[in-house]
């Protein structure tokens, strides 16, 4: 009779229960149950994608500059004798091109985060064209000394940047504003390239 009054006690191990719950939340993508933890997960994903969006065009530009310096011709020597006062030294050119790629990477990431590349595929085409032309300019002008082709590449780069500025600005106005210094820099590069053509 006493055994009928006994109830089975179910003991829960708090460590096992917590681990199982945590593993379930990790599997579903939510580490914490509250909104703050969800935001932290999204922020980590956003930082990872931002790092990729900035480092990819920046590394391609740096690789292009390295290839341009390894193919180096006498362009700097020819320019140094007839250089006007406004002509930038080569280290400024080599510093501003990665800075421009950095700004373009941030701008493209902002457009991607707002879904602009999915809604308007022209934005992605213009961005890829801009990266390709940026990568080609330095080896052509400083590496091979092909200033005529470099001028065409530079004018194409300016056109691609202008298109990016217009299309990106429709998706995210800040992204469009970030391209304005890059566009101004490409216009100045066109003038520099034109000067190199007549040296």
């Amino acid at each position: 009779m006493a055994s009928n009054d006994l109830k089975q006690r179910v003991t829960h191990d708090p460590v096992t229960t917590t681990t199982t719950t945590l593993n379930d939340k990790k599997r579903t993508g939510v580490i914490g149950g509250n909104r703050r933890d969800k935001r932290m997960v999204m922020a980590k994903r956003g930082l990872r994608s931002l790092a990729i969006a900035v480092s990819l065009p920046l590394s391609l530009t740096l690789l292009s500059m390295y290839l341009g310096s390894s193919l180096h011709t006498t362009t700097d020597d020819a320019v140094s004798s007839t250089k006007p006062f406004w002509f930038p030294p080569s280290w400024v050119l080599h510093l501003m091109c990665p800075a421009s790629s950095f700004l373009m990477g941030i701008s493209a990431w902002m457009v991607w985060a707002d879904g602009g590349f999915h809604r308007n595929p022209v934005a992605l085409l213009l961005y890829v064209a801009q990266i390709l032309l940026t990568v080609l300019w330095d080896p052509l002008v400083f590496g091979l000394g092909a200033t005529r082709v470099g001028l065409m590449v530079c004018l194409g780069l300016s056109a691609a940047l202008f298109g990016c500025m217009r299309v990106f600005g429709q998706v995210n106005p800040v992204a469009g504003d970030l391209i304005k210094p890059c566009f101004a820099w490409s216009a100045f590069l066109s003038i520099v390239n034109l000067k190199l053509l007549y040296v």
Side-chain angles (χ1 to χ4, degrees):
M1 180 131 169
S3 63
N4 290 339
D5 292 339
L6 292 177
K7 294 182 180 177
Q8 183 179 3
R9 291 186 187 177
V10 179
T11 59
H12 294 289
D13 184 11
V15 175
T16 307
T17 305
T18 304
T19 306
T20 305
T21 306
L22 187 60
N23 286 337
D24 290 340
K25 288 179 180 178
K26 280 183 181 176
R27 190 173 58 247
T28 59
V30 180
I31 293 180
N34 58 16
R35 199 176 285 170
R36 182 175 181 268
D37 292 336
K38 290 179 185 177
R39 287 183 183 160
M40 288 298 292
V41 170
M42 292 299 288
K44 287 180 183 176
R45 289 181 187 161
L47 284 176
R48 191 177 310 129
S49 64
L50 177 62
I52 292 170
V54 169
S55 64
L56 182 67
L58 188 60
S59 60
L60 287 174
T61 303
L62 292 174
L63 178 66
S64 167
M65 288 170 46
Y66 173 74
L67 291 175
S69 65
S70 66
L71 298 171
H72 184 66
T73 60
T74 59
T75 306
D76 286 339
D77 299 333
V79 171
S80 62
S81 60
T82 59
K83 183 166 55 171
F85 73 95
W86 54 265
F87 199 86
S90 62
W91 65 268
V92 172
L93 294 172
H94 292 302
L95 181 68
M96 291 305 292
C97 288
S100 178
S101 291
F102 178 78
L103 285 176
M104 281 302 298
I106 292 175
S107 179
W109 177 79
M110 293 172 80
V111 171
W112 171 80
D114 287 341
F117 290 142
H118 298 292
R119 287 190 306 242
N120 192 353
V122 174
L124 183 61
L125 290 174
L126 287 169
Y127 179 64
V128 170
Q130 175 270 328
I131 290 176
L132 180 66
L133 293 170
T134 300
V135 167
L136 286 176
W137 185 79
D138 197 288
L140 282 173
V141 174
F142 290 111
L144 300 175
T147 52
R148 287 184 194 276
V149 178
L151 180 61
M152 293 299 158
V153 168
C154 206
L155 291 174
L157 175 63
S158 295
L161 283 169
F162 183 75
C164 284
M165 189 170 58
R166 297 287 304 268
V167 175
F168 285 17
Q170 292 171 358
V171 177
N172 188 329
V174 176
D177 289 341
L178 282 176
I179 300 177
K180 288 178 182 176
C182 304
F183 178 69
W185 175 247
S186 71
F188 182 71
L189 279 183
S190 298
I191 297 169
V192 167
N193 211 139
L194 193 62
K195 174 62 181 171
L196 287 174
L197 189 60
Y198 293 108
V199 167

